[in-house]
Amino acid sequence: MSGPSSYVPKLGIAKWLDARLPLPRLMYDSFVAYPVPRNLNYFWTFGGILMLMLVSQILTGVILAMHYTPHATLAFTSVEGIMRDVEYGWLMRYMHANGASMFFIAVYIHIFRGLYYGSYKAPREVLWILGVIIFLLMMATAFMGYVLPWGQMSFWGATVITNLFSAFPIVGETIVTFLWGGYSVDNPTLTRFFSLHFLLPFMIFGVVILHVWALHVTGQNNPTGVEVKAVAKDTIPFTPYATIKDAFALVLFFAFFAYFLFFIPNYLGHADNYIPANPAVTPAHIVPEWYFLPFYAILRAVPDKLGGVLLMFAAIAVLVVLPWLDTSKVRSMSYRPLARQCFWAFAVTCVMLGWLGSRPAEGIYVTLSQLFTALYFAYFLIALPLLGLFETPKKLPGSIAESVLGKMKGGSGAVVGAAAPAEPNTKG
Amino acid sequence: MTLFRTSLAAFAAIMIGAFSAASLSPAHAAGGGTKPPAHDWSFDGPFGTFDRAQLQRGYKVYREVCSACHGMSLMRFRNLSQKGGPEFTEAQVRALAADFKISDGPNEQGEMFERPGRPSDGFPKPFPNEQAARAANGGAYPLDLSVIAKARNYERGFPLFLLDIITQYQEGGPDYVKALLTGYEDPPKGVELLPGQNWNKYMAGNIIGMPNMLNDGQVEYPKGPDGKSPVPETAKQYAADVVAFLMWSAEPHMEQRKSIGRQVFIFLLLFAGLLYFTKKRIWSRLPEHAPGAAH
Ligand code: HEM
């Protein structure tokens, strides 16, 4: 999609720079002239939202780091000092803590969008895998960030999760000692987590650049899953169309963010993390942050520790090979009646796993966790490989333009959500 | 329903379900604690503010009762006059601080000395260390109360925990502590308590090292113009007042947070509205969005 550049520098200085470092040209081609499919719906605005959330996390994080003390005896008090004595420190801290949750809400919507519209399929495999890498880095960052306030959940969450690595034969113990910087979670663990928590977001930033680069090579997928055929007919320029739509969605998302941040800032957190870390007292229930719960449920579904750890990693690894597991040529689930039902069953499965992750690992909860873990993997390993072979997809529109404009000519009076210019499903 | 709307609804449900599942997890009400009743706090909801007189009374209860055992290490006397809190006058704060003897030093002779407290001093600790605190309390530890109102919660259960997003219920901690302070009962038949143990309806596991500390008439409240205290001098009232004080100490900038929040939230909604109409206008240049097109 990144065809010949249409940038024409006008000012003398712009021409001068263009001949030496064509940065304005890159910006122009990427964010002004860049052609986007004309039928994108609002699920396509989450990429931009994620970009801003990353910037927001880095800005608030850098300010927090100016006032935070990474030491086992001082970390908790320094975070409380931020909340009380630093001007607008409470704002920075609540923005950062709730921002992490918003970041994950956005990334989950973004991922499910990709799953539904088949955005992982050729030629977007590398783009998709880069996304999975960002997701992994985000999880590592958030996990280590949660340790920094050094409350009870920080400490015990870190203990439980780092202990998982001891399940690996032979090297396990060495890895754990290495993570801890000693023989238990203690000050060396906190200081190395702080250092890495500072570093990883910038690595995420780097991978995001690759992700966007890959996007601009293949172009965006769209709700029909039909590739752009004629740029003039099927696409519209990024500016002003996508810019204004993204801006609207972004501001709406920030209103949602603000609601949590200002009115219920501790809703997504855990009360126990306002108790200073105490290695002598284990909390009644150790639960990770909400965004890890589905994976936590998979981990605990297996009675064997190593098995649980492997399965948990497999739950993410399976996303990497997904482009080759889905055998269907049709991208969008809108044209795959059976696969679509499986998709929604999968979505429900993820919610159930999230719920189970928050329950104690006992009795019926374990059985249910096993059932839903099986369903989770079944979607990738059974449903998607087989459906591509047996399912008869619905007829695809000839082109994006036809799916949008054809409907108009057909004069179907169907009222389409303002948000979804293209509504292939209501067609005819 | 169009596919878009169905999927939007489903996504919303999934997201809300998944992220709220976290708050299902029991915090401290595990095993045996009865769910505390909800109290009508002045500080709940998007317009909630602290009641200055209540916070001042709450400080008096803390000072005269709780401070014998519990420290509040994150609090300084000067906080008592800061905006959004009890808002004692600076002169009052100087007097409240001077009530305490603070150990300071070393002086030029290298010796420690005692002096009256100043507004910049922290609230004094009742015990020099945890061991001394335990020894004085039959082995139980009277923990620091600075952020206790946020460090306790109880399980809300489905579907309340979802409704809490809309009703903005954030007072699980204060409700629990208030109920706890007035939740002492005789143990059920057949339960033998050890010396120093007490039975509390709301405590996790019901057995608590802290005895009932609040009794009617125990703390004298400032009198109104008619020579009587404007609020009843009862254990219930003491509990509500001291908990309001503890909530403020856990979240001293709550009023500022909510007032900025209201402005930011309304601004963002209005801005989003303007952007929506701008977007519609710009997109109407496209044939499929032109007025009169099928949508
Ligand atoms: C990918 C972006 C990021 C994510 C997802 C993230 C996530 C988190 C989380 C979940 C916490 C714990 C919040 C709490 O309960 O208090 C936290 C704390 C913290 N983060 Fe980040 N963070 C990110 C970027 C950064 C950056 C770039 C910095 C610094 C340059 C930073 C510095 C800090 C500090 C100092 C704390 C401890 C203070 C506190 O607990 O509020 N973070 N982070």
Side-chain angles (χ1 to χ4, degrees):
Chain A
M1 292 263 291
S2 49
S5 171
S6 59
Y7 176 66
V8 187
K10 289 193 198 79
L11 292 174
I13 175 117
K15 281 185 196 138
W16 183 86
L17 189 60
D18 192 51
R20 287 157 179 84
L21 178 75
L23 194 63
R25 176 181 298 275
L26 181 71
M27 290 296 143
Y28 181 87
D29 292 343
S30 308
F31 301 109
V32 180
Y34 181 65
V36 299
R38 65 193 310 149
N39 60 342
L40 297 187
N41 61 33
Y42 273 95
F43 289 120
W44 266 264
T45 60
F46 281 89
I49 290 173
L50 282 162
M51 201 90 110
L52 251 97
M53 285 314 301
L54 179 61
V55 172
S56 161
Q57 287 306 94
I58 291 182
L59 288 179
T60 51
V62 167
I63 293 173
L64 287 174
M66 293 173 188
H67 303 278
Y68 170 79
T69 315
H71 191 281
T73 57
L74 298 169
F76 187 89
T77 339
S78 78
V79 171
E80 276 306 318
I82 292 172
M83 295 290 289
R84 289 154 186 275
D85 298 330
V86 175
E87 285 286 326
Y88 294 101
W90 57 268
L91 180 60
M92 292 299 117
R93 199 235 166 174
Y94 276 157
M95 205 161 156
H96 196 74
N98 284 280
S101 282
M102 296 299 139
F103 205 156
F104 276 93
I105 289 175
V107 90
Y108 281 132
I109 294 178
H110 194 67
I111 293 174
F112 274 82
R113 186 278 319 260
L115 290 174
Y116 186 87
Y117 294 110
S119 305
Y120 47 84
K121 293 186 194 184
R124 296 185 183 79
E125 305 94 320
V126 172
L127 175 61
W128 172 260
I129 292 171
L130 287 167
V132 179
I133 294 173
I134 295 173
F135 180 49
L136 267 175
L137 286 172
M138 273 175 68
M139 294 208 284
T141 309
F143 165 65
M144 289 190 274
Y146 194 58
V147 176
L148 302 185
W150 211 239
Q152 273 290 67
M153 277 302 158
S154 300
F155 181 88
W156 289 98
T159 304
V160 170
I161 301 301
T162 48
N163 248 319
L164 294 178
F165 292 90
S166 70
F168 292 111
I170 308 167
V171 289
E173 293 299 331
T174 319
I175 296 179
V176 176
T177 313
F178 183 69
L179 286 173
W180 287 344
Y183 297 99
S184 65
V185 173
D186 206 337
N187 194 51
T189 328
L190 177 59
T191 47
R192 65 190 53 197
F193 277 20
F194 177 54
S195 174
L196 291 174
H197 182 72
F198 205 130
L199 170 70
L200 287 190
F202 296 92
M203 295 182 55
I204 294 179
F205 205 91
V207 186
V208 167
I209 290 176
L210 296 181
H211 189 72
V212 174
W213 184 12
L215 173 74
H216 284 229
V217 171
T218 62
Q220 279 160 297
N221 184 25
N222 67 83
T224 62
V226 176
E227 286 293 328
V228 169
K229 289 181 180 141
V231 170
K233 275 196 197 147
D234 290 343
T235 71
I236 45 182
F238 191 89
T239 300
Y241 297 105
T243 343
I244 187 72
K245 191 170 169 180
D246 282 356
F248 166 58
L250 191 92
V251 171
L252 211 57
F253 188 81
F254 268 72
F256 176 74
F257 180 10
Y259 183 88
F260 278 81
L261 158 60
F262 289 107
F263 300 122
I264 47 175
N266 293 305
Y267 179 83
L268 296 164
H270 199 292
D272 276 21
N273 228 24
Y274 281 106
I275 306 173
N278 184 349
V281 179
T282 319
H285 297 280
I286 302 172
V287 267
E289 291 279 85
W290 69 266
Y291 35 81
F292 294 132
L293 289 174
F295 300 103
Y296 196 53
I298 293 176
L299 168 76
R300 296 185 309 169
V302 190
D304 172 56
K305 191 164 162 193
L306 180 60
V309 175
L310 290 177
L311 214 57
M312 182 175 73
F313 285 121
I316 296 166
V318 73
L319 292 173
V320 175
V321 287
L322 172 62
W324 296 277
L325 288 174
D326 187 343
T327 47
S328 171
K329 290 267 177 304
V330 178
R331 289 199 187 84
S332 172
M333 294 279 178
S334 302
Y335 303 95
R336 303 183 59 192
L338 293 177
R340 186 164 74 195
Q341 287 176 19
C342 292
F343 169 86
W344 287 115
F346 172 73
V348 172
T349 300
C350 292
V351 176
M352 293 309 286
L353 283 172
W355 172 64
L356 289 162
S358 79
R359 306 284 83 195
E362 58 198 31
I364 181 75
Y365 297 131
V366 178
T367 323
L368 284 175
S369 299
Q370 289 165 347
L371 173 72
F372 285 106
T373 301
L375 287 176
Y376 179 97
F377 285 100
Y379 177 72
F380 296 109
L381 300 178
I382 301 173
L384 289 182
L386 290 184
L387 279 174
L389 307 178
F390 299 116
E391 186 181 42
T392 325
K394 291 199 223 162
K395 190 175 167 303
L396 292 171
S399 71
I400 294 172
E402 188 193 305
S403 85
V404 179
L405 303 168
K407 183 162 51 192
M408 282 172 61
K409 283 194 212 98
S412 108
V415 178
V416 179
E423 196 31 283
N425 237 17
T426 50
K427 202 180 157 190
Chain B
M1 269 248 247
T2 63
L3 163 76
F4 175 72
R5 283 197 212 133
T6 338
S7 42
L8 189 68
F11 266 120
I14 290 171
M15 283 355 263
I16 292 178
F19 73 67
S20 319
S23 47
L24 271 172
S25 46
H28 240 261
T34 313
K35 287 195 184 185
H39 180 77
D40 186 15
W41 300 103
S42 71
F43 48 81
D44 61 17
F47 298 96
T49 52
F50 291 111
D51 172 350
R52 315 278 160 236
Q54 182 173 44
L55 295 191
Q56 297 195 356
R57 294 193 302 270
Y59 173 71
K60 196 159 195 282
V61 177
Y62 168 72
R63 167 78 179 90
E64 290 178 20
V65 186
C66 324
S67 71
C69 301
H70 294 282
M72 291 184 83
S73 58
L74 298 172
M75 295 292 292
R76 291 169 194 288
F77 290 108
R78 64 170 165 77
N79 296 135
L80 294 171
S81 61
Q82 105 197 355
K83 218 172 157 289
E87 298 187 3
F88 284 108
T89 63
E90 302 210 349
Q92 282 172 317
V93 169
R94 272 195 298 277
L96 291 172
D99 232 16
F100 289 90
K101 287 266 164 294
I102 306 281
S103 149
D104 200 349
N107 62 13
E108 277 139 39
Q109 280 72 47
E111 279 150 20
M112 303 300 284
F113 58 92
E114 295 234 311
R115 57 160 176 81
R118 300 188 202 120
S120 57
D121 286 323
F123 284 17
K125 290 186 174 53
F127 299 102
N129 50 53
E130 182 174 337
Q131 286 78 355
R134 284 189 190 275
N137 284 285
Y141 179 55
L143 67 190
D144 193 276
L145 292 185
S146 310
V147 286
I148 192 78
K150 287 200 291 189
R152 291 291 182 275
N153 205 349
Y154 66 95
E155 179 161 353
R156 296 284 283 165
F158 183 83
L160 264 189
F161 84 98
L162 286 177
L163 287 175
D164 287 347
I165 299 178
I166 297 156
T167 60
Q168 301 186 6
Y169 179 77
Q170 282 269 284
E171 286 72 37
D175 280 342
Y176 165 78
V177 178
K178 176 178 177 282
L180 179 88
L181 291 173
T182 49
Y184 288 87
E185 285 178 348
D186 289 332
K189 275 207 185 66
V191 177
E192 282 294 321
L193 292 181
L194 299 172
Q197 289 188 337
N198 308 278
W199 188 265
N200 192 301
K201 203 170 148 189
Y202 300 102
M203 179 74 177
N206 293 117
I207 293 177
I208 183 167
M210 170 169 73
N212 178 23
M213 293 313 309
L214 296 174
N215 301 297
D216 292 354
Q218 171 185 6
V219 179
E220 202 181 316
Y221 274 164
K223 303 284 179 275
D226 58 350
K228 277 189 278 179
S229 161
V231 293
E233 290 170 322
T234 58
K236 262 197 157 145
Q237 184 67 37
Y238 297 147
D241 292 350
V242 76
V243 168
F245 176 74
L246 293 176
M247 185 64 224
W248 167 71
S249 78
E251 193 74 22
H253 299 296
M254 188 210 72
E255 291 187 7
Q256 189 192 22
R257 162 162 66 75
K258 285 182 180 172
S259 96
I260 294 179
R262 292 191 297 268
Q263 297 166 39
V264 170
F265 189 63
I266 290 178
F267 167 77
L268 287 174
L269 285 186
L270 290 177
F271 189 28
L274 292 178
L275 284 171
Y276 176 71
F277 289 111
T278 315
K279 184 249 165 195
K280 263 188 99 103
R281 185 69 179 276
I282 289 177
W283 280 65
S284 70
R285 292 180 209 158
L286 298 171
E288 68 268 32
H289 289 269
H295 127 77

